Amino acid sequence: MASTVGIPIICNAAVAWEAGKPLVIEKVEVAPPKAMEVRVKIKYTSLCHTDLYFWEAKDQTPLFPRIFGHEAAGIVESVGEGVTELKEGDHVLPVFTGECKECVHCKSEESNMCDLLRINTDRGVMLSDGRSRFTAKGTPINHFLGTSTFSEYTVVHVGSLAKLDQSAPLDKVCILSCGISTGLGATLNVAKPKKGSTVAIFGLGAVGLGAAEGARIAGASRIIGVDFNPNRFEGARKFGINEFLNPKDYDKPIQEVIAEKTNGGVDRSVECTGNVDAMISAFECVHDGWGVAVLVGVPSKDAKFVTKPINLLNERTLKGTFFGNYKPRSDLPSVVDMYMRKELELEKFITHRVTFSEINKAFDLMVKGEGLRCIISMDD
Ligand code: NAD
Ligand code: ZN
């Protein structure tokens, strides 16, 4: 095949022309990568709740037309000037929050909130020149989270790509580029339950079940799942969740129910719903003296977290995290290794598969709350 290096590529992409309207497969022109950028051939992508939230655009300034998608795996097609760590043929995971390796956050052991490449939901262009690399029907198309993986080819800043072991199966590890690593890291890196602990997980979607998987790996003795949707309960058993609570079944706040069932509260809780009432319950259900609650869900813009200060004085800790505190380039390869060593199970998160031309089916499934992750294969 003739080399495509340095020239635009014409390929298929699923374009969101308007909020909430089905995506349309269009021929798009993808410009070559500029300095510190990489053009990636996407092999598999999946849909995460954050795509749905910005596609529906109910609560924010809409930015359309746009190419969504941020949970994916692909192969480097070509690299721009100054890129030395990646070359054509390398396998990569694009990540919505990057790692420049030079700013104070990247240099701090405690943070993954890179100054240059941290999550930015309002930017639809590349950092270097403030322009898009996608054109369809003569119109520039906005990027999403610096990844835009609902396209056969995309352009990503090198700092937002984690290099993979070439033997890792791309159709499985693609889900590590967002939701599962977020939940897993929220438990292992932030909540840090000790062996034998009790852990409550609020929200049993893919992120919450990733958090449950972290609790199982850490050796928690009791994992309590809390969700409004009872259909989630049966599937959640595979993730080591052995007790279920539906807040709708009780007259009193669910934090009080949990405190009664656990002799004063759980050791750790991880909130993965995006609902502020669940966030407050997740904090108030941890044991005084040592309990730690971690917030992961993305709340609506105007939500306010209200609790009595005495709950904190009584030695409970409240934390929050993006991407489970993993630094994407430095830490994701070790998460992929956990899967390759069979410590982490990914297959049970994958409940559906569709071809790229059927991408709107993946949206329908998520809107209906059916299944966990739907893998979209780019090779129809
Ligand atoms: P999902 O919709 O598949 O699952 C959320 C679950 O929460 C659903 O089963 C729902 O029934 C349940 N729920 C909602 N409100 C509840 C309440 N008040 N009490 C109990 N259960 C409730 O979503 P997902 O893909 O698993 O994502 C979960 C959240 O994590 C979303 O808010 C998403 O935007 C966020 N997220 C955050 C990060 C991060 O880095 N912090 C990364 C990815 C996703
Ligand atoms: Zn940085």
Side-chain angles (χ1 to χ4, degrees):
M1 236 173 72
S3 168
T4 44
V5 175
I7 55 172
I9 292 179
I10 311 272
C11 67
N12 289 322
V15 177
W17 291 100
E18 282 177 69
K21 296 273 161 63
L23 308 187
V24 184
I25 303 283
E26 304 277 6
K27 287 285 173 215
V28 299
E29 187 177 299
V30 185
K34 295 201 171 168
M36 301 313 280
E37 295 174 1
V38 178
R39 193 161 53 184
V40 179
K41 181 173 172 47
I42 299 295
K43 296 294 288 177
Y44 298 93
T45 184
S46 48
L47 180 61
C48 162
H49 206 111
T50 314
D51 295 299
L52 191 81
Y53 183 70
F54 284 90
W55 167 73
E56 288 180 331
K58 284 186 185 149
D59 203 22
Q60 345 93 32
T61 326
L63 201 57
F64 291 93
R66 204 167 199 189
I67 296 176
F68 286 102
H70 65 284
E71 207 175 80
I75 300 176
V76 173
E77 175 269 339
S78 63
V79 302
E81 204 188 307
V83 174
T84 51
E85 275 176 48
L86 290 173
K87 58 177 186 322
E88 184 191 337
D90 282 344
H91 291 191
V92 288
L93 297 181
V95 183
F96 67 87
T97 191
E99 179 185 359
C100 77
K101 295 196 175 179
E102 278 162 23
C103 70
V104 283
H105 285 272
C106 286
K107 286 192 169 148
S108 157
E109 265 180 35
E110 293 175 313
S111 171
N112 68 345
M113 298 288 292
C114 174
D115 273 337
L116 183 70
L117 298 166
R118 73 169 61 172
I119 181 170
N120 183 328
T121 57
D122 298 331
R123 189 171 57 228
V125 292
M126 296 306 284
L127 273 176
S128 64
D129 60 358
R131 303 178 69 157
S132 166
R133 301 286 173 267
F134 298 111
T135 318
K137 298 181 170 165
T139 308
I141 310 290
N142 286 291
H143 292 245
F144 179 62
L145 302 183
T147 52
S148 291
T149 60
F150 295 162
S151 174
E152 288 174 317
Y153 287 86
T154 187
V155 177
V156 180
H157 191 286
V158 64
S160 301
L161 289 169
K163 188 172 165 179
L164 283 178
D165 172 347
Q166 299 276 115
S167 62
L170 297 182
D171 68 326
K172 310 243 170 36
V173 298
C174 59
I175 59 172
L176 288 176
S177 93
C178 178
I180 313 308
S181 302
T182 294
L184 184 76
T187 303
L188 292 179
N189 301 334
V190 190
K192 298 184 181 166
K194 296 194 175 98
K195 201 167 186 317
S197 309
T198 51
V199 180
I201 310 283
F202 286 71
L204 305 178
V207 177
L209 295 174
E213 190 68 357
R216 180 187 69 78
I217 291 168
S221 60
R222 220 173 141 185
I223 312 177
I224 303 170
V226 183
D227 203 303
F228 279 150
N229 178 356
N231 297 335
R232 294 279 193 203
F233 294 169
E234 199 45 51
R237 285 186 201 283
K238 283 192 224 153
F239 296 82
I241 297 183
N242 34 33
E243 290 170 59
F244 297 98
L245 297 174
N246 186 339
K248 288 186 183 156
D249 293 342
Y250 297 89
D251 294 331
K252 53 183 147 186
I254 201 69
Q255 52 271 47
E256 287 178 24
V257 176
I258 294 173
E260 280 166 18
K261 286 180 179 291
T262 55
N263 224 350
V266 287
D267 301 313
R268 299 290 186 264
S269 75
V270 187
E271 176 281 328
C272 307
T273 68
N275 177 291
V276 72
D277 295 327
M279 294 178 179
I280 295 165
S281 302
F283 172 59
E284 293 181 354
C285 80
V286 298
H287 207 287
D288 58 4
W290 61 78
V292 178
V294 178
L295 308 186
V296 179
V298 179
S300 69
K301 237 183 0 214
D302 300 324
K304 298 239 175 5
F305 185 100
V306 180
T307 192
K308 293 183 182 150
I310 192 72
N311 291 329
L312 285 145
L313 296 183
N314 284 340
E315 300 179 4
R316 292 183 183 90
T317 303
L318 178 63
K319 295 182 171 189
T321 177
F322 271 113
F323 200 52
N325 273 37
Y326 286 119
K327 289 181 190 283
R329 292 160 92 185
S330 305
D331 300 336
L332 259 193
S334 67
V335 182
V336 172
D337 275 356
M338 278 172 79
Y339 166 68
M340 298 300 278
R341 289 197 308 269
K342 299 195 166 31
E343 276 169 47
L344 167 66
E345 295 169 20
L346 293 181
E347 287 75 5
K348 60 193 179 188
F349 288 96
I350 301 170
T351 51
H352 297 82
R353 287 184 181 269
V354 297
T355 60
F356 190 34
S357 54
E358 301 170 314
I359 187 166
N360 288 304
K361 280 194 193 164
F363 278 75
D364 292 343
L365 287 166
M366 187 160 268
V367 169
K368 285 192 220 141
E370 277 177 33
L372 295 171
R373 278 300 187 255
C374 176
I375 307 289
I376 300 157
S377 164
M378 304 306 280
D379 297 321
D380 270 5

